[in-house]
Amino acid sequence: MLFQKNNFQKAAQHENGINRRLFLAYVSALYSIPTIGWTANVNRRMKFAINPFSIGVASGDANSTSVVLWTRLAPKPLDPDGGMPNVGVPVQWRLATDEGMNNVVASGQQLATPQLGHSIHVTAGQLKPDTWYWYQFSVNGEESVVGRTRTMPPRFSNPKQLSFAAASCQSLEQGYYTAYDRMAEDELDIIFHLGDYIYEYTAGNQGNIRKHHGGEIESLSDYRVRHAQYKLDPALQKVHARCPWFVTWDDHEVDNNCAAEISEQKNVKPVDFLIRRAAAYQAFYENMPLRRTSIPAGPNLQLYRRGAFGQLAEFMVLDGRQYRSDQPNNDVRSPLNDAAFNPESSMLGSEQRNWLKQSLIQSRGTWNILAQQVMMGMVGMPSGDIPMSYSMDQWPGYTHERMELLRFMADRKISNPVVLTGDIHSNWANELRIDDRKMDTPAVAAEFVGTSISSAGDGQDRIADHNKLLSNNPFIKFHNRQRGYFRCTVTQKTWTTDYMVVDKVTTPGGKVTKRTSLVLENGSPTLQQT
Ligand code: FE
Ligand code: CA
């Protein structure tokens, strides 16, 4: 881990969200952990018996002139050290304008260090805007596959069309990645991952389609191995190599339903949870195509950020886990009571909320995309004796902040806000109002909630209470409980979302079909089903 003194200082500057006493407790707890020294040793001639690019390549966080190229050396990806010795190894990279890698326009070398799990995060810069590129890594005669990536259109241009897909929730134990096989056939400019990229559970806890390696993950090497096990999937590797991704996380990248320094398990001390979180965040950085601004500093990692596709769309990628206050009402489905309306509660934390508002005001995007974790629609369902209950882990647990944000969008006339959501293993298309219970008020934004890639196994088109769900919540314009993903085609005039569903994920070779499409017109958050 990055438990060096200069990183303590760096972490101290970033203590945003964690109170000072807790932060100091965290730092002193670290001294009981043996630190990994910085490598003095570099092995330039390391010979590999097995190709070390076993978990593939990826690119991400593209802007109009640069993109992050990622890989990790792991000849034995399920070994705690990935099969790598405790030395640095220089890795070469090349970027070309053709798939055959003949016309190389940029190249270089970066040291893969044991401190960062032998991961490589190259920022390939000074590139042409709105251009497709291919890239490849090599080390001492071993080569990676060739990945494809692209830059975004110039900042002030008006591109005709943006095509993207969104994925979430890919439990390896509960299903095959048939959805990704299909996604790899789509012509997409970018892909958003909205969280639950891995699950932290012990082997066999969720299913037995493909068993997790090892127990519940807690240490840095545990998290590294889990990420590597997921990335061994060939369909996932294929989609990573297709285009740049913009990733965020949800809870399972660390621990189910965690909130800032608070574990789901009530007996875990915040200081101990922060040590686990630091391990989880570091492994996340190491395994994702993130910019160096996201290098973790102790238990903190800067993940919320902006992106743009010319002036057609701007996107704000949110982090709804790192700074949130604890779920109210013991995280049990509850009515929208005072605790859910507590003005002190926050999903984003004040810094991120202010940044989001500023980003929305400054945006030149026709469409303003919020790529984030949990459902914003205030979906009420009867639960036990409660006539109408709401999820406290989702935005209704933070109703005050949610309403303030929707009111802000309405007051400031933010251009076409569209929320992208994962987390709940089901498809939803929602019209969002300041208060979704008041259908006579104007809609402010649209929300597309995408189902899981594999989590929760085969699913079904509809639940028994489907009609009741929709009549209780008339702002829901579509709901389905199969696996899959959604893809969006965005132009100046219209936004079209296709819900792609898989009939079976518990066996390979499931059939993927377009279940339905919903359309938005520029200027109106009203959803039309085609
Ligand atoms: Fe999930
Ligand atoms: Ca989740």
Side-chain angles (χ1 to χ4, degrees), residues 61-90:
D61 282 19
N63 62 26
S64 56
T65 57
S66 72
V67 61
V68 177
L69 311 176
W70 170 93
T71 192
R72 220 187 113 199
L73 302 179
K76 293 177 186 166
L78 299 184
D79 283 5
D81 57 7
M84 290 295 291
N86 193 18
V87 295
V89 177

Side-chain angles (χ1 to χ4, degrees), residues 169 196 199 252 423 425 455:
C169 297
D196 291 357
Y199 283 77
H252 290 288
D423 177 47
H425 315 163
S455 302

Side-chain angles (χ1 to χ4, degrees), residues 16 60 97 207 247 274 290 398 413 438 474 529:
N16 161 26
T97 54
V247 300
L274 282 186
L290 289 168
Y398 305 81
K413 300 194 164 37
K438 296 178 180 158
Q529 198 163 348

Side-chain angles (χ1 to χ4, degrees), residues 83-137:
M84 290 295 291
N86 193 18
V87 295
V89 177
V91 174
Q92 281 74 44
W93 62 273
R94 296 183 300 147
L95 185 90
T97 54
D98 62 311
E99 194 173 0
M101 299 299 299
N102 294 311
N103 186 31
V104 173
V105 291
S107 62
Q109 178 172 292
Q110 195 176 89
L111 191 66
T113 68
Q115 285 79 14
L116 285 173
H118 292 99
S119 62
I120 295 285
H121 297 78
V122 169
T123 307
Q126 294 177 296
L127 305 179
K128 273 194 194 152
D130 206 11
T131 304
W132 286 97
Y133 291 98
W134 285 261
Y135 61 97
Q136 187 175 30
F137 299 93

